Amino acid sequence: MSSHKHTIVIVGYGGMGSYHTHLIEENGRLEVAGTFDLLEERRSASEAAGYTAYASYEDVLADPKVGTILIATPNDVHKEIALAAFRAGKHVICEKPVAMSSEEFIEMTQAAESAGRVLMVHQNRRWDEDFRVIKEMYDHGTIGSLFQLESRVHGANGIPGDWRHVKAQGGGMLLDWGVHLLDQLLFMIDSKVASVSSNLSFILGNEVDDGFEAILQFENGVKAIVEVGTTNFITLPRWYVKGTEGTGVIEDWSLTGRIVTRNQESEKLEPTPIRAGVGLTKTMAPPSEGATITEALPPAAELASSFYTNFADVIEGTAEPIVKNPEVLRVLKLIEAIFAAAETNQTIKDFDLY
Ligand code: NAD
């Protein structure tokens, strides 16, 4: 492990750019050498927070003490900023979605490779605790073999900010939250996506989607429903998962949730019919007493290190990236298939993510 800290300049000192400064400061291996933003007001905000604000991107690239560029601008300019960084011999951390298309991303990875520099995408939600609890359940069969996963985020604030409304800048929810939720699923499920169907919502009247629903069928039989909504005044649980031996629910990011499993000790009894609405049902009657066990969620699966520590190890050549570029490419191709499925109203089967 190197004794000196790796210096980073954050390009795009907006919401996420300023958040990165806090995260990087918490990590002893990296330090923020400054920021660059096109807007004067954001450069002043950077100075006020104690970070040098470079006057131009050329100045950043010309500074030999800068080893890494962290890109936290709107999505449409990630590629050009990254390509210039590689030409100047810098490493790159890039916010998600790393590019506007899989084609753009391939160009970026090729440029990184020719320059012999690292390109790592900030798929930070692989470290989210709610996701890692589900990963633990998936990997270790806590509720049997998981065969259906429903991953949702619901808000009621519409699409926030400005560029997120603009198609040409990579706006819309599929390219925003969608990237995270799909990345989590493909990272966890070690099986190819066999088919995709989807629909996008345009309830708010923007040119970009304000939400979407996608159904992914994996070759190993797992089905995933992914949903993002921005007009949900009552939210559905963040995760609802079904296994062969039980069901799990995680309501929110505070990890309110539970698992309910079949009690193997209990004698299998016919359910007693109940009145349901104006009818009678045995099928939908609650399980007989003692037939199920309710337990707390399992502890979250661990990842080898934090994103930033892993990045420091990768540029020092001592570790493999946890976020690998072929995985990022797969997610971009999946997003393209989801857009195509929504546009054509077809289930897409013949696509190649791999
Ligand atoms: P934002 O609008 O708050 O900030 C973007 C900043 O970039 C603005 O200050 C803008 O002036 C600046 N900018 C625009 N073009 C520039 C250029 N060419 N050079 C330098 N600066 C430029 O946006 P945000 O919410 O911070 O999003 C930025 C990126 O971070 C997006 O890619 C977004 O998807 C991503 N993001 C990731 C997460 C996450 O959890 N990983 C969360 C939020 C946003």
Side-chain angles (χ1 to χ4, degrees):
M1 189 169 82
S2 166
S3 58
H4 78 276
K5 290 189 179 182
H6 301 286
T7 49
I8 296 189
V9 165
I10 296 174
V11 176
Y13 187 67
M16 199 56 196
S18 47
Y19 187 54
H20 272 289
T21 60
H22 305 299
L23 300 175
I24 290 169
E25 270 169 12
E26 287 165 15
N27 186 295
R29 308 269 301 280
L30 313 164
E31 75 183 337
V32 179
T35 72
F36 168 64
D37 199 290
L38 285 182
L39 294 180
E40 171 60 37
E41 69 193 60
R42 295 310 301 160
R43 294 201 290 272
S44 305
S46 173
E47 296 280 1
Y51 299 107
T52 304
Y54 285 80
S56 71
Y57 188 40
E58 288 69 35
D59 288 355
V60 178
L61 296 180
D63 186 343
K65 78 169 185 296
V66 178
T68 298
I69 304 297
L70 188 154
I71 305 172
T73 61
N75 307 330
D76 57 323
V77 288
H78 288 179
K79 185 186 94 171
E80 65 185 64
I81 295 170
L83 295 186
F86 295 133
R87 282 195 297 271
K90 316 289 187 193
H91 300 296
V92 169
I93 294 175
C94 189
E95 263 308 338
K96 47 54 61 179
V98 61
M100 300 282 285
S101 65
S102 55
E103 204 180 321
E104 273 198 7
F105 182 54
I106 290 169
E107 206 180 324
M108 290 163 79
T109 54
Q110 285 172 346
E113 215 166 288
S114 331
R117 301 286 91 182
V118 169
L119 166 59
M120 236 172 102
V121 183
H122 190 234
Q123 292 298 159
N124 50 331
R125 291 195 177 277
R126 291 187 185 188
W127 281 264
D128 278 3
E129 202 175 356
D130 60 279
F131 164 64
R132 290 186 293 111
V133 168
I134 298 295
K135 185 167 176 352
E136 171 69 23
M137 288 161 71
Y138 186 86
D139 291 346
H140 294 106
T142 319
I143 56 170
S145 183
L146 286 193
F147 61 88
Q148 182 163 322
L149 297 105
E150 301 187 16
S151 172
R152 292 192 171 81
V153 286
H154 282 168
N157 300 314
I159 302 174
D162 42 16
W163 63 266
R164 281 184 171 76
H165 295 254
V166 182
K167 195 171 179 174
Q169 291 198 276
M173 284 299 118
L174 180 50
L175 282 175
D176 193 343
W177 268 96
V179 179
H180 288 301
L181 304 191
L182 296 164
D183 178 69
Q184 290 177 337
L185 288 175
L186 295 202
F187 178 55
M188 173 169 62
I189 301 170
D190 187 18
S191 175
K192 290 186 176 180
V193 181
S195 70
V196 173
S197 55
S198 68
N199 56 72
L200 307 181
S201 75
F202 294 88
I203 297 155
L204 299 170
N206 296 291
E207 62 173 354
V208 294
D209 66 285
D210 49 50
F212 72 92
E213 186 179 50
I215 300 178
L216 316 182
Q217 193 68 57
F218 289 83
E219 279 183 359
N220 66 358
V222 172
K223 173 180 168 181
I225 299 173
V226 186
E227 196 201 330
V228 175
T230 53
T231 50
N232 299 66
F233 293 86
I234 298 173
T235 60
L236 288 175
R238 169 73 188 86
W239 293 94
Y240 175 77
V241 293
K242 298 201 284 186
T244 46
E245 297 303 322
T247 306
V249 68
I250 302 182
E251 300 287 347
D252 48 37
W253 285 291
S254 312
L255 261 60
T256 315
R258 65 192 187 284
I259 55 177
V260 177
T261 51
R262 198 191 310 279
N263 183 359
Q264 305 292 356
E265 311 290 304
S266 146
E267 195 189 333
K268 197 165 181 342
L269 296 172
E270 267 294 289
T272 313
I274 56 158
R275 279 185 72 161
V278 293
L280 193 68
T281 179
K282 207 154 59 163
T283 323
M284 297 305 159
S288 52
E289 208 182 324
T292 58
I293 303 171
T294 300
E295 289 172 280
L297 297 167
E302 293 294 332
L303 289 189
S305 64
S306 76
F307 177 86
Y308 300 97
T309 299
N310 180 236
F311 175 75
D313 288 340
V314 171
I315 60 177
E316 288 172 23
T318 59
E320 285 294 307
I322 293 176
V323 180
K324 297 178 177 54
N325 288 335
E327 297 167 347
V328 174
L329 181 62
R330 243 172 26 185
V331 172
L332 285 172
K333 287 182 174 178
L334 177 58
I335 286 174
E336 286 162 358
I338 292 173
F339 274 124
E343 265 161 38
T344 58
N345 202 17
Q346 305 261 330
T347 298
I348 308 257
K349 289 188 176 141
D350 53 345
F351 55 89
D352 179 20
L353 303 182
Y354 304 90

